Amino acid sequence: MLFDLFGALASPTAAREGKQVKQVNHRHRIGYNRRVPRLLVLLLLLGSPGFAAPHWERLETRGGISVYRRVVPGSRVLSFKGECEIEAPIAKVISALSDVTRKREWVFSLSEARLVREPSVLERVEYNRSSAPWPIHDRAFVFRALVRPDRAARRLWIGLESVEDPAAPAEPGVVRGRIEKGEFIVEALGERRTKVSLELHADPAGAVPKWLVNIFQKRWPLETLAGLRRQAAKADISAHPALADF
């Protein structure tokens, strides 16, 4: 078969036809080469973080607290966000947020919280443990909290991300989860009104099905912000002196 093909291409008619085929192929290659850069640019745009990023989907608004979720590429665990306004000065809300010793009073499902280390006033490492119903094991999270205040805008950002720390080793019977991304944004809306937004993308790890994780975690923003609102309203929560002019 191969010899017949080479013989046919050696004939004059085949040579003319072959020349025409080469011209068509050449034009095709030119068109292809012109299209390839455009295709590459399109693929790069589609793959860039800022292009067609997953949108937040509103789940519910209850008691003035709005809860959202969105898909995180590459993860079966959803990211959740909550937003609300609190009738309290921003300095008092920040004080409630920053007091590790009283976090159990308002953070949803939190059974233990302690300070691991505090390298500076704008950075610390925390240990948090969340209780879970039997037969599911409790989850523990060790994370770094970075604080970025903007006094001119009367705005505070707190970023959370899991870390390893020798002062908080793994414990038997407790599963170590990971906070992939977490943040609190606190903004003054006036002298006695504050807006709080939180976002959490956390994987509790272990054998719990991810669909069940997503069902449980969608409650976290609602319950935690409701708890923070109650906490900021307590008479024994006072603004820290360092935040008096915030």
Side-chain angles (χ1 to χ4, degrees):
M1 186 70 178
L2 286 174
F3 290 106
D4 293 340
L5 178 61
F6 288 135
L9 290 176
S11 67
T13 302
R16 288 194 300 272
E17 292 176 351
K19 184 177 181 180
Q20 293 172 354
V21 170
K22 288 180 181 178
Q23 290 173 345
V24 170
N25 287 342
H26 178 66
R27 289 194 296 270
H28 175 73
R29 284 196 300 271
I30 292 174
Y32 175 79
N33 291 336
R34 287 175 178 170
R35 289 195 300 270
V36 166
R38 298 174 187 173
L39 180 60
L40 289 175
V41 170
L42 179 60
L43 289 174
L44 288 172
L45 284 173
L46 287 173
S48 64
F51 191 89
H55 294 291
W56 287 106
E57 174 193 356
R58 186 195 293 266
L59 294 177
E60 64 174 323
T61 298
R62 193 191 312 173
I65 302 172
S66 296
V67 178
Y68 307 81
R69 71 179 177 188
R70 72 175 173 186
V71 173
V72 177
S75 174
R76 289 181 295 160
V77 179
L78 299 173
S79 182
F80 291 94
K81 180 174 75 169
E83 295 178 338
C84 75
E85 294 181 6
I86 297 176
E87 292 288 345
I90 186 172
K92 191 173 182 182
V93 174
I94 294 173
S95 293
L97 271 171
S98 60
D99 190 350
V100 179
T101 64
R102 299 185 64 175
K103 287 184 73 171
R104 289 180 56 196
E105 297 177 25
W106 61 274
V107 177
F108 179 57
S109 79
L110 189 66
S111 60
E112 182 183 352
R114 59 182 171 87
L115 182 66
V116 177
R117 66 180 72 250
E118 193 169 20
S120 73
V121 293
L122 298 178
E123 179 184 357
R124 69 185 181 201
V125 176
E126 280 189 39
Y127 169 93
N128 282 190
R129 178 169 172 170
S130 296
S131 59
W134 185 90
I136 301 173
H137 293 295
D138 286 359
R139 262 53 182 179
F141 297 86
V142 178
F143 58 89
R144 175 184 292 112
L146 296 175
V147 181
R148 296 290 180 266
D150 185 342
R151 288 182 178 270
R154 302 192 69 198
R155 183 177 185 271
L156 185 85
W157 174 86
I158 305 173
L160 313 175
E161 186 178 23
S162 280
V163 295
E164 299 289 336
D165 196 292
E171 309 155 87
V174 180
V175 178
R176 183 62 56 92
R178 283 195 60 81
I179 297 177
E180 304 296 345
K181 179 187 177 183
E183 68 176 20
F184 281 85
I185 299 175
V186 187
E187 302 174 85
L189 299 180
E191 294 306 313
R192 296 197 55 81
R193 194 170 185 82
T194 304
K195 179 181 178 181
V196 180
S197 173
L198 67 82
E199 179 182 345
L200 182 69
H201 178 224
D203 188 347
V208 180
K210 301 308 181 188
W211 62 266
L212 186 58
V213 170
N214 291 328
I215 290 175
F216 174 80
Q217 290 199 86
K218 75 177 183 180
R219 294 181 57 195
W220 195 84
L222 179 67
E223 301 291 348
T224 296
L225 286 176
L228 180 60
R229 180 183 279 168
R230 291 190 298 269
Q231 190 74 358
K234 292 180 179 179
D236 62 343
I237 300 292
S238 58
H240 193 280
L243 300 171
D245 60 340
F246 200 93

Coordinates of all heavy atoms in Angstrom, one line a residue, residues 57-143:
E57 N -23.5 33.3 46.1 CA -25.0 33.0 46.1 C -25.6 33.3 47.4 O -25.2 32.7 48.4 CB -25.2 31.5 45.7 CG -26.6 31.1 45.7 CD -26.8 29.6 45.6 OE1 -25.7 28.9 45.4 OE2 -27.9 29.1 45.7
R58 N -26.6 34.1 47.5 CA -27.3 34.4 48.7 C -28.1 33.2 49.2 O -28.9 32.7 48.4 CB -28.2 35.6 48.6 CG -28.8 36.1 50.0 CD -29.9 37.1 49.7 NE -29.4 38.3 49.2 CZ -29.1 39.4 49.9 NH1 -29.2 39.3 51.2 NH2 -28.7 40.5 49.4
L59 N -27.9 32.8 50.4 CA -28.7 31.6 50.9 C -29.9 32.1 51.7 O -31.0 31.6 51.6 CB -27.8 30.8 51.8 CG -26.6 30.0 51.1 CD1 -25.8 29.2 52.1 CD2 -27.2 29.1 50.0
E60 N -29.7 33.1 52.6 CA -30.8 33.6 53.4 C -30.4 34.9 54.1 O -29.2 35.2 54.2 CB -31.2 32.5 54.5 CG -30.1 32.3 55.5 CD -30.6 31.3 56.6 OE1 -31.7 31.4 57.0 OE2 -29.7 30.5 57.1
T61 N -31.4 35.6 54.5 CA -31.2 36.7 55.4 C -32.2 36.6 56.5 O -33.4 36.5 56.4 CB -31.5 38.1 54.6 OG1 -30.6 38.2 53.5 CG2 -31.3 39.2 55.6
R62 N -31.6 36.5 57.7 CA -32.4 36.3 58.9 C -31.9 37.2 60.0 O -30.7 37.2 60.4 CB -32.3 34.8 59.4 CG -33.3 34.4 60.4 CD -33.0 33.1 61.0 NE -32.7 32.0 60.1 CZ -32.3 30.8 60.4 NH1 -32.1 30.5 61.7 NH2 -32.1 29.9 59.5
G63 N -32.8 37.9 60.6 CA -32.5 38.8 61.7 C -31.4 39.9 61.3 O -30.6 40.3 62.1
G64 N -31.5 40.3 60.0 CA -30.5 41.3 59.6 C -29.2 40.7 59.2 O -28.2 41.5 58.9
I65 N -29.0 39.4 59.2 CA -27.8 38.8 58.9 C -27.9 38.0 57.6 O -28.8 37.2 57.4 CB -27.3 37.8 60.0 CG1 -27.2 38.5 61.3 CG2 -26.0 37.1 59.6 CD1 -26.9 37.5 62.5
S66 N -27.1 38.4 56.6 CA -27.2 37.7 55.3 C -26.1 36.7 55.2 O -24.9 37.0 55.6 CB -27.0 38.8 54.2 OG -28.1 39.7 54.2
V67 N -26.4 35.6 54.6 CA -25.4 34.5 54.5 C -25.3 34.1 53.0 O -26.3 34.0 52.3 CB -25.9 33.2 55.3 CG1 -24.9 32.1 55.1 CG2 -26.0 33.6 56.8
Y68 N -24.1 33.9 52.5 CA -23.8 33.6 51.1 C -22.9 32.3 51.1 O -22.2 32.0 52.0 CB -23.1 34.7 50.4 CG -23.8 36.1 50.6 CD1 -23.6 36.8 51.7 CD2 -24.5 36.6 49.5 CE1 -24.3 38.1 51.8 CE2 -25.1 37.8 49.6 CZ -25.0 38.6 50.8 OH -25.6 39.8 50.9
R69 N -22.8 31.7 49.9 CA -21.9 30.7 49.7 C -21.4 30.8 48.2 O -22.0 31.4 47.4 CB -22.6 29.3 49.8 CG -23.6 28.9 48.7 CD -24.2 27.6 49.0 NE -25.2 27.3 47.9 CZ -26.0 26.2 48.0 NH1 -25.9 25.4 49.0 NH2 -26.9 26.0 47.0
R70 N -20.2 30.2 48.0 CA -19.7 30.1 46.6 C -18.8 28.9 46.5 O -18.2 28.4 47.5 CB -19.0 31.4 46.2 CG -17.7 31.6 46.8 CD -17.1 32.9 46.2 NE -15.8 33.3 46.8 CZ -15.2 34.4 46.5 NH1 -15.6 35.2 45.6 NH2 -14.1 34.7 47.2
V71 N -18.6 28.4 45.3 CA -17.8 27.3 45.0 C -16.3 27.8 44.9 O -16.0 28.9 44.5 CB -18.1 26.7 43.6 CG1 -17.1 25.6 43.2 CG2 -19.6 26.1 43.6
V72 N -15.4 27.0 45.5 CA -14.0 27.2 45.4 C -13.4 26.2 44.5 O -13.5 25.0 44.7 CB -13.4 27.1 46.8 CG1 -11.8 27.3 46.7 CG2 -14.0 28.1 47.8
P73 N -12.8 26.7 43.4 CA -12.2 25.8 42.4 C -11.2 24.8 43.0 O -10.4 25.2 43.8 CB -11.5 26.7 41.4 CG -12.3 28.0 41.5 CD -12.7 28.1 42.9
G74 N -11.4 23.5 42.7 CA -10.4 22.5 43.3 C -10.8 22.0 44.6 O -10.1 21.2 45.2
S75 N -11.9 22.5 45.2 CA -12.3 22.1 46.6 C -13.8 21.6 46.6 O -14.6 22.3 45.9 CB -12.1 23.2 47.6 OG -12.6 22.8 48.9
R76 N -14.1 20.6 47.3 CA -15.5 20.1 47.4 C -16.1 20.8 48.6 O -17.3 20.6 48.8 CB -15.5 18.6 47.6 CG -15.2 17.8 46.3 CD -15.2 16.3 46.6 NE -14.2 15.9 47.5 CZ -14.3 14.8 48.2 NH1 -15.4 14.0 48.1 NH2 -13.4 14.4 49.1
V77 N -15.4 21.6 49.4 CA -15.9 22.3 50.5 C -16.2 23.8 50.0 O -15.4 24.4 49.4 CB -14.9 22.4 51.7 CG1 -15.5 23.2 52.8 CG2 -14.6 21.0 52.2
L78 N -17.4 24.2 50.3 CA -17.8 25.6 49.9 C -17.2 26.6 50.8 O -16.9 26.3 51.9 CB -19.3 25.7 49.8 CG -20.1 24.7 48.9 CD1 -21.6 24.8 49.1 CD2 -19.7 25.0 47.5
S79 N -17.2 27.8 50.3 CA -16.8 29.0 51.1 C -18.1 29.7 51.5 O -19.0 29.8 50.7 CB -15.9 29.9 50.3 OG -15.5 31.0 51.1
F80 N -18.1 30.1 52.7 CA -19.3 30.8 53.2 C -19.0 32.2 53.7 O -17.9 32.5 54.2 CB -20.0 30.0 54.4 CG -20.6 28.7 53.9 CD1 -19.8 27.5 53.9 CD2 -21.9 28.7 53.4 CE1 -20.4 26.3 53.5 CE2 -22.4 27.5 53.0 CZ -21.7 26.3 53.0
K81 N -20.0 33.1 53.6 CA -19.8 34.5 54.0 C -21.0 35.0 54.7 O -22.1 34.6 54.4 CB -19.5 35.4 52.8 CG -19.3 36.8 53.1 CD -18.9 37.6 51.9 CE -20.1 37.9 51.0 NZ -19.7 38.9 49.9
G82 N -20.8 35.8 55.7 CA -21.9 36.5 56.4 C -21.7 37.9 56.6 O -20.6 38.4 56.7
E83 N -22.8 38.7 56.6 CA -22.7 40.2 56.7 C -23.8 40.6 57.6 O -25.0 40.1 57.6 CB -22.8 40.9 55.4 CG -21.7 40.6 54.4 CD -21.9 41.3 53.1 OE1 -23.1 41.6 52.8 OE2 -20.9 41.5 52.4
C84 N -23.5 41.6 58.5 CA -24.6 42.2 59.3 C -24.1 43.6 59.8 O -22.9 43.9 59.7 CB -24.9 41.3 60.5 SG -23.7 41.3 61.8
E85 N -25.0 44.3 60.4 CA -24.7 45.5 61.1 C -25.0 45.3 62.6 O -26.0 44.6 63.0 CB -25.5 46.7 60.6 CG -25.2 47.0 59.1 CD -26.0 48.2 58.5 OE1 -26.7 48.8 59.3 OE2 -25.8 48.4 57.4
I86 N -24.2 45.9 63.4 CA -24.3 45.8 64.9 C -24.4 47.1 65.5 O -23.7 48.1 65.2 CB -23.0 45.0 65.5 CG1 -22.9 43.6 64.9 CG2 -23.0 45.0 67.0 CD1 -21.7 42.9 65.3
E87 N -25.4 47.3 66.4 CA -25.6 48.5 67.1 C -24.6 48.6 68.3 O -24.9 48.4 69.4 CB -27.0 48.6 67.6 CG -28.1 48.7 66.5 CD -28.1 50.1 65.9 OE1 -27.5 51.0 66.4 OE2 -28.7 50.2 64.8
A88 N -23.4 49.0 67.9 CA -22.3 49.2 68.9 C -21.2 49.9 68.3 O -21.0 49.8 67.0 CB -21.9 47.8 69.5
P89 N -20.4 50.7 69.0 CA -19.2 51.4 68.4 C -18.2 50.3 67.9 O -18.1 49.2 68.5 CB -18.7 52.2 69.6 CG -19.8 52.2 70.6 CD -20.6 51.0 70.4
I90 N -17.5 50.7 66.9 CA -16.5 49.8 66.3 C -15.5 49.4 67.3 O -15.0 48.2 67.3 CB -15.9 50.4 65.1 CG1 -15.0 49.4 64.4 CG2 -15.1 51.7 65.4 CD1 -14.4 49.8 63.1
A91 N -15.1 50.2 68.2 CA -14.1 49.9 69.2 C -14.6 48.8 70.2 O -13.8 47.9 70.5 CB -13.7 51.1 70.1
K92 N -15.9 48.8 70.5 CA -16.4 47.7 71.3 C -16.5 46.4 70.6 O -16.3 45.3 71.1 CB -17.8 48.1 71.8 CG -18.3 47.2 72.9 CD -19.6 47.8 73.5 CE -20.1 46.9 74.7 NZ -21.3 47.4 75.3
V93 N -16.9 46.5 69.3 CA -16.9 45.2 68.5 C -15.6 44.6 68.3 O -15.4 43.4 68.4 CB -17.6 45.6 67.1 CG1 -17.5 44.3 66.2 CG2 -19.0 46.0 67.2
I94 N -14.5 45.4 68.1 CA -13.2 44.9 68.0 C -12.7 44.3 69.3 O -12.0 43.3 69.3 CB -12.2 46.1 67.5 CG1 -12.6 46.5 66.1 CG2 -10.8 45.6 67.6 CD1 -11.8 47.7 65.6
S95 N -13.1 44.9 70.4 CA -12.7 44.4 71.7 C -13.3 43.0 71.9 O -12.6 42.1 72.4 CB -13.2 45.3 72.8 OG -12.4 46.5 72.8
A96 N -14.6 42.8 71.5 CA -15.2 41.5 71.6 C -14.5 40.5 70.7 O -14.3 39.4 71.1 CB -16.7 41.6 71.3
L97 N -14.2 40.9 69.5 CA -13.5 40.0 68.6 C -12.1 39.6 69.0 O -11.7 38.4 68.8 CB -13.3 40.7 67.2 CG -14.4 40.6 66.2 CD1 -14.1 41.6 65.0 CD2 -14.6 39.2 65.7
S98 N -11.4 40.4 69.7 CA -10.0 40.2 70.0 C -9.8 39.5 71.4 O -8.7 39.0 71.7 CB -9.2 41.5 70.0 OG -9.8 42.4 71.0
D99 N -10.8 39.3 72.2 CA -10.7 38.7 73.5 C -10.8 37.2 73.3 O -11.9 36.6 73.3 CB -11.8 39.2 74.4 CG -11.6 38.8 75.9 OD1 -10.7 37.9 76.1 OD2 -12.3 39.3 76.8
V100 N -9.7 36.5 73.3 CA -9.6 35.0 73.1 C -10.3 34.3 74.3 O -11.0 33.3 74.1 CB -8.2 34.5 72.9 CG1 -8.2 33.0 72.7 CG2 -7.6 35.2 71.7
T101 N -10.2 34.9 75.5 CA -10.7 34.2 76.6 C -12.2 34.1 76.7 O -12.7 33.3 77.4 CB -10.2 34.9 77.9 OG1 -10.8 36.2 78.0 CG2 -8.7 35.0 78.0
R102 N -12.9 34.9 75.8 CA -14.3 34.9 75.9 C -14.9 34.5 74.5 O -16.1 34.7 74.3 CB -14.9 36.3 76.3 CG -14.4 36.7 77.7 CD -15.0 38.0 78.1 NE -16.5 37.9 78.3 CZ -17.2 38.8 78.8 NH1 -16.7 40.0 79.2 NH2 -18.6 38.7 78.8
K103 N -14.1 33.9 73.6 CA -14.7 33.6 72.3 C -15.7 32.5 72.4 O -16.6 32.4 71.5 CB -13.5 33.1 71.4 CG -12.6 34.2 70.9 CD -11.6 33.7 69.9 CE -12.2 33.4 68.6 NZ -11.2 33.1 67.6
R104 N -15.6 31.6 73.4 CA -16.6 30.5 73.6 C -18.1 31.1 73.8 O -19.0 30.4 73.5 CB -16.3 29.6 74.7 CG -15.1 28.7 74.5 CD -14.8 27.9 75.7 NE -16.0 27.1 76.1 CZ -16.2 26.5 77.2 NH1 -15.2 26.6 78.2 NH2 -17.2 25.8 77.5
E105 N -18.1 32.4 74.2 CA -19.4 33.0 74.5 C -20.2 33.3 73.2 O -21.4 33.5 73.3 CB -19.2 34.2 75.4 CG -18.7 34.0 76.7 CD -18.4 35.2 77.5 OE1 -19.1 36.2 77.2 OE2 -17.6 35.3 78.4
W106 N -19.5 33.4 72.1 CA -20.2 33.9 70.9 C -19.9 33.1 69.6 O -20.6 33.2 68.6 CB -20.0 35.4 70.7 CG -18.5 35.8 70.5 CD1 -17.6 36.1 71.4 CD2 -17.8 35.9 69.2 NE1 -16.4 36.4 70.9 CE2 -16.5 36.3 69.5 CE3 -18.2 35.8 67.9 CZ2 -15.6 36.6 68.5 CZ3 -17.3 36.1 66.9 CH2 -16.0 36.5 67.2
V107 N -18.7 32.4 69.5 CA -18.4 31.7 68.3 C -19.1 30.4 68.2 O -19.1 29.6 69.2 CB -16.9 31.5 68.2 CG1 -16.6 30.7 66.9 CG2 -16.1 32.8 68.1
F108 N -19.8 30.1 67.1 CA -20.7 28.9 67.0 C -19.9 27.6 67.1 O -18.8 27.5 66.5 CB -21.3 29.0 65.6 CG -22.2 27.8 65.3 CD1 -23.3 27.5 66.2 CD2 -22.0 27.0 64.2 CE1 -24.1 26.4 65.9 CE2 -22.8 25.9 64.0 CZ -23.9 25.6 64.8
S109 N -20.3 26.8 68.0 CA -19.8 25.4 68.2 C -18.4 25.4 68.8 O -17.8 24.3 68.9 CB -19.9 24.5 67.0 OG -18.8 24.8 66.1
L110 N -17.9 26.5 69.3 CA -16.5 26.5 69.8 C -16.5 26.0 71.3 O -17.3 26.5 72.1 CB -16.0 28.0 69.8 CG -14.5 28.1 70.2 CD1 -13.6 27.5 69.1 CD2 -14.2 29.6 70.3
S111 N -15.7 25.0 71.5 CA -15.6 24.5 72.9 C -14.3 24.9 73.6 O -14.3 24.8 74.9 CB -15.7 22.9 72.8 OG -14.6 22.4 72.1
E112 N -13.3 25.3 72.9 CA -12.1 25.8 73.5 C -11.4 26.8 72.6 O -11.3 26.6 71.4 CB -11.2 24.6 73.8 CG -9.9 24.9 74.5 CD -9.0 23.7 74.7 OE1 -9.4 22.6 74.4 OE2 -7.8 23.9 75.2
A113 N -10.8 27.8 73.3 CA -10.0 28.8 72.5 C -8.9 29.2 73.4 O -9.1 29.5 74.6 CB -10.8 29.9 72.1
R114 N -7.7 29.3 72.9 CA -6.5 29.8 73.7 C -5.5 30.4 72.8 O -5.4 30.1 71.6 CB -5.9 28.7 74.5 CG -5.4 27.5 73.7 CD -4.8 26.4 74.7 NE -4.5 25.2 74.0 CZ -3.3 24.9 73.4 NH1 -2.4 25.9 73.4 NH2 -3.1 23.8 72.9
L115 N -4.7 31.3 73.4 CA -3.7 32.0 72.6 C -2.4 31.1 72.7 O -2.0 30.6 73.7 CB -3.4 33.3 73.3 CG -2.3 34.2 72.6 CD1 -2.7 34.6 71.3 CD2 -2.0 35.4 73.5
V116 N -1.9 30.8 71.5 CA -0.6 30.0 71.4 C 0.6 30.9 71.5 O 1.5 30.6 72.3 CB -0.6 29.2 70.1 CG1 0.7 28.4 70.0 CG2 -1.8 28.2 70.0
R117 N 0.6 31.9 70.8 CA 1.7 32.9 70.8 C 1.3 34.2 70.2 O 0.3 34.2 69.4 CB 3.0 32.4 70.1 CG 2.9 32.2 68.6 CD 4.2 31.6 68.0 NE 4.4 30.2 68.4 CZ 5.4 29.8 69.2 NH1 6.1 30.7 69.8 NH2 5.5 28.5 69.5
E118 N 1.9 35.3 70.5 CA 1.6 36.6 70.0 C 2.9 37.3 69.6 O 3.4 38.1 70.5 CB 0.8 37.4 71.1 CG 0.1 38.6 70.5 CD -0.9 39.2 71.5 OE1 -0.8 38.9 72.7 OE2 -1.7 40.0 71.0
P119 N 3.4 37.1 68.4 CA 4.6 37.8 68.0 C 4.5 39.3 68.0 O 5.6 40.0 68.3 CB 4.8 37.3 66.6 CG 4.0 36.0 66.5 CD 2.8 36.3 67.4
S120 N 3.4 39.9 67.8 CA 3.2 41.3 67.9 C 1.8 41.7 68.1 O 0.9 40.8 68.2 CB 3.6 42.0 66.5 OG 2.7 41.7 65.5
V121 N 1.5 42.9 68.3 CA 0.1 43.4 68.6 C -0.8 43.1 67.3 O -2.0 43.1 67.4 CB 0.0 44.8 69.0 CG1 0.7 45.0 70.3 CG2 0.6 45.7 67.9
L122 N -0.2 43.0 66.2 CA -0.9 42.8 64.9 C -0.9 41.3 64.4 O -1.3 41.0 63.3 CB -0.4 43.7 63.8 CG -0.6 45.2 64.1 CD1 0.0 46.0 63.0 CD2 -2.0 45.6 64.4
E123 N -0.3 40.4 65.2 CA -0.2 39.0 64.8 C -0.3 38.1 66.0 O 0.3 38.4 67.0 CB 1.1 38.8 64.0 CG 1.3 37.4 63.6 CD 2.6 37.1 62.9 OE1 3.4 38.1 62.7 OE2 2.9 36.0 62.6
R124 N -1.0 37.0 65.9 CA -1.0 36.0 66.9 C -1.4 34.7 66.3 O -2.0 34.6 65.2 CB -2.0 36.4 68.0 CG -3.5 36.4 67.6 CD -4.3 36.9 68.8 NE -5.7 36.8 68.5 CZ -6.6 37.6 69.1 NH1 -6.3 38.4 70.1 NH2 -7.9 37.5 68.8
V125 N -1.1 33.6 67.1 CA -1.5 32.3 66.7 C -2.4 31.8 67.7 O -2.2 31.9 69.0 CB -0.2 31.3 66.6 CG1 -0.7 29.9 66.3 CG2 0.7 31.9 65.5
E126 N -3.6 31.2 67.3 CA -4.6 30.7 68.2 C -4.9 29.2 68.0 O -4.6 28.7 66.9 CB -5.9 31.5 67.9 CG -6.1 32.8 68.5 CD -7.5 33.4 68.4 OE1 -8.5 32.6 68.5 OE2 -7.6 34.6 68.1
Y127 N -5.4 28.6 69.0 CA -5.9 27.3 69.0 C -7.4 27.3 69.3 O -7.8 27.9 70.3 CB -5.2 26.4 70.0 CG -5.8 25.0 70.2 CD1 -5.4 23.9 69.5 CD2 -6.9 24.9 71.1 CE1 -6.0 22.7 69.7 CE2 -7.5 23.6 71.3 CZ -7.0 22.5 70.6 OH -7.6 21.3 70.8
N128 N -8.2 26.8 68.3 CA -9.6 26.7 68.5 C -10.1 25.3 68.3 O -9.6 24.6 67.4 CB -10.3 27.6 67.5 CG -10.3 29.1 67.9 OD1 -11.0 29.9 67.2 ND2 -9.5 29.5 68.8
R129 N -10.9 24.8 69.2 CA -11.5 23.5 69.1 C -13.0 23.6 69.0 O -13.7 24.3 69.8 CB -11.1 22.6 70.3 CG -11.7 21.2 70.3 CD -11.0 20.4 71.4 NE -11.6 19.1 71.5 CZ -11.1 18.1 72.3 NH1 -10.0 18.3 72.9 NH2 -11.8 16.9 72.4
S130 N -13.5 22.9 68.0 CA -15.0 22.9 67.8 C -15.6 21.5 68.2 O -15.0 20.5 67.8 CB -15.3 23.1 66.3 OG -14.9 24.4 65.9
S131 N -16.6 21.6 68.9 CA -17.3 20.3 69.4 C -18.1 19.7 68.3 O -18.6 20.4 67.4 CB -18.2 20.6 70.6 OG -19.2 21.6 70.3
A132 N -18.2 18.4 68.3 CA -19.0 17.7 67.3 C -19.8 16.6 68.0 O -19.4 16.0 69.0 CB -18.1 17.1 66.2
P133 N -21.0 16.3 67.5 CA -21.8 15.3 68.1 C -21.2 13.9 67.8 O -20.6 13.6 66.8 CB -23.2 15.4 67.4 CG -22.8 16.0 66.0 CD -21.7 16.9 66.3
W134 N -21.4 13.0 68.8 CA -21.0 11.6 68.7 C -21.7 11.0 67.5 O -22.8 11.3 67.2 CB -21.3 10.8 69.9 CG -20.8 9.4 69.9 CD1 -19.6 9.0 70.4 CD2 -21.5 8.3 69.4 NE1 -19.5 7.6 70.2 CE2 -20.7 7.2 69.6 CE3 -22.8 8.1 68.8 CZ2 -21.0 5.9 69.2 CZ3 -23.1 6.8 68.5 CH2 -22.2 5.7 68.6
P135 N -21.0 10.2 66.6 CA -19.6 9.6 66.8 C -18.5 10.4 66.1 O -17.4 9.9 65.9 CB -19.8 8.2 66.2 CG -20.7 8.5 65.1 CD -21.7 9.5 65.5
I136 N -18.8 11.6 65.7 CA -17.9 12.5 65.0 C -16.9 13.0 66.0 O -17.2 13.5 67.1 CB -18.6 13.6 64.2 CG1 -19.6 13.0 63.2 CG2 -17.5 14.4 63.5 CD1 -20.4 14.0 62.5
H137 N -15.6 13.0 65.6 CA -14.6 13.6 66.5 C -14.6 15.1 66.4 O -14.9 15.7 65.4 CB -13.2 13.1 66.1 CG -13.0 11.6 66.3 ND1 -12.9 11.0 67.5 CD2 -12.7 10.6 65.4 CE1 -12.7 9.7 67.4 NE2 -12.6 9.4 66.1
D138 N -14.2 15.7 67.6 CA -14.0 17.2 67.6 C -12.9 17.6 66.6 O -12.1 16.8 66.2 CB -13.6 17.6 69.0 CG -14.8 17.6 70.0 OD1 -15.9 17.2 69.6 OD2 -14.5 17.9 71.2
R139 N -13.1 18.8 66.1 CA -12.1 19.4 65.2 C -11.3 20.5 65.9 O -11.8 21.3 66.6 CB -12.7 20.0 64.0 CG -12.8 19.1 62.7 CD -13.3 17.7 63.0 NE -13.3 16.9 61.8 CZ -13.7 15.7 61.7 NH1 -14.2 15.1 62.8 NH2 -13.6 15.0 60.6
A140 N -10.0 20.5 65.6 CA -9.1 21.6 66.2 C -8.5 22.3 65.0 O -8.1 21.7 64.0 CB -8.0 21.0 67.1
F141 N -8.3 23.6 65.2 CA -7.7 24.5 64.2 C -6.6 25.3 64.9 O -6.9 26.0 65.9 CB -8.8 25.4 63.5 CG -9.8 24.7 62.8 CD1 -11.0 24.2 63.5 CD2 -9.7 24.4 61.4 CE1 -12.0 23.5 62.8 CE2 -10.7 23.7 60.7 CZ -11.8 23.3 61.4
V142 N -5.5 25.3 64.3 CA -4.4 26.2 64.8 C -4.1 27.2 63.6 O -3.8 26.8 62.5 CB -3.1 25.4 65.1 CG1 -2.0 26.4 65.5 CG2 -3.4 24.4 66.2
F143 N -4.3 28.5 63.9 CA -4.2 29.4 62.8 C -3.5 30.7 63.2 O -3.5 31.1 64.4 CB -5.6 29.7 62.3 CG -6.6 30.3 63.3 CD1 -6.7 31.6 63.5 CD2 -7.4 29.4 64.0 CE1 -7.6 32.1 64.5 CE2 -8.2 29.9 65.0 CZ -8.3 31.2 65.2

